[in-house]
């Protein structure tokens, strides 16, 4: 599993409104992490568990000295998880991505849903985008601080 994480002051994800006119917000956080989540072929529960722990503990927030020594748990920040299959693309050759390395949608959805459930059991503020929907993500990146986590 892959997570592209960004330290944010705020972030939200919208989808097209049910009426087809405008957008509706499905997830919103204040200070914390926006995590774009990709699932690759062969990923399973162990990858999901490892990624959950890394998302909560990865030290990207400043301590009193300004050093990145605090994780999401330490600051009690929000976590916005957005499924993004394009992270699992193979981009090593050519000028068009190949999605042969991405997990099939049913498997990816199951692992994403398991990740959300696991994190909601461990952390008080977990919001999500909507799997399979066209989403519109807005954020104020703090730093900017962006890392790719692999699990």
């Amino acid at each position: 599993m892959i997570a592209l994480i960004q330290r944010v002051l705020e972030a939200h994800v919208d989808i097209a409104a049910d009426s087809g006119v405008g957008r509706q917000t499905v997830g919103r956080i204040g200070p914390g992490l926006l995590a774009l989540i990709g699932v690759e072929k062969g990923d399973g529960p162990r990858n999901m568990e490892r990624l959950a722990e890394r998302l909560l503990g990865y030290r990207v927030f400043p301590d009193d000295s300004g050093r990145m020594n605090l994780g999401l748990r330490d600051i009690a920040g929000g976590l916005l998880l957005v499924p993004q299959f394009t992270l699992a693309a193979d981009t090593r050759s050519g000028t068009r991505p190949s999605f042969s390395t991405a997990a099939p949608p049913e498997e990816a959805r199951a692992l994403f849903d398991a990740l959300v459930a696991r994190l909601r059991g461990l952390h008080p503020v977990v919001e999500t985008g909507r799997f399979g929907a066209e989403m519109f993500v807005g954020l104020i990146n703090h730093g900017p601080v962006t890392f790719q986590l692999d699990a």
Side-chain angles (χ1 to χ4, degrees):
M1 292 183 81
I2 303 165
L4 185 68
I5 62 170
Q6 296 182 301
R7 185 176 73 188
V8 298
L9 294 178
E10 62 183 58
H12 69 275
V13 61
D14 299 345
I15 60 169
D18 291 336
S19 65
V21 178
R23 297 186 210 161
Q24 76 181 71
T25 300
V26 293
R28 176 180 298 279
I29 61 166
L33 289 178
L34 166 65
L36 306 174
I37 307 295
V39 182
E40 297 178 291
K41 285 182 181 174
D43 286 342
R46 289 180 58 196
N47 303 94
M48 182 276 298
E49 288 287 340
R50 174 77 174 128
L51 186 58
E53 287 302 315
R54 294 194 81 201
L55 287 168
L56 295 178
Y58 208 70
R59 298 182 302 167
V60 298
F61 298 95
D63 62 15
D64 291 337
S65 301
R67 296 180 53 113
M68 284 195 271
N69 276 326
L70 303 176
L72 194 63
R73 282 186 186 120
D74 301 318
I75 68 153
L79 178 59
L80 178 56
L81 301 168
V82 177
Q84 187 171 349
F85 82 97
T86 61
L87 282 178
D90 182 352
T91 61
R92 292 176 288 185
S93 64
T95 57
R96 181 177 172 166
S98 166
F99 297 103
S100 62
T101 54
E106 314 80 45
E107 292 175 27
R109 180 188 299 264
L111 270 179
F112 179 78
D113 290 347
L115 178 66
V116 170
R118 179 72 175 131
L119 286 164
R120 284 186 170 154
L122 297 171
H123 194 70
V125 182
V126 178
E127 296 284 325
T128 70
R130 187 161 301 159
F131 196 95
E134 181 177 13
M135 294 175 277
F136 307 89
V137 180
L139 68 142
I140 298 176
N141 191 323
H142 180 203
V145 171
T146 303
F147 293 99
Q148 179 175 319
L149 301 181
D150 297 303

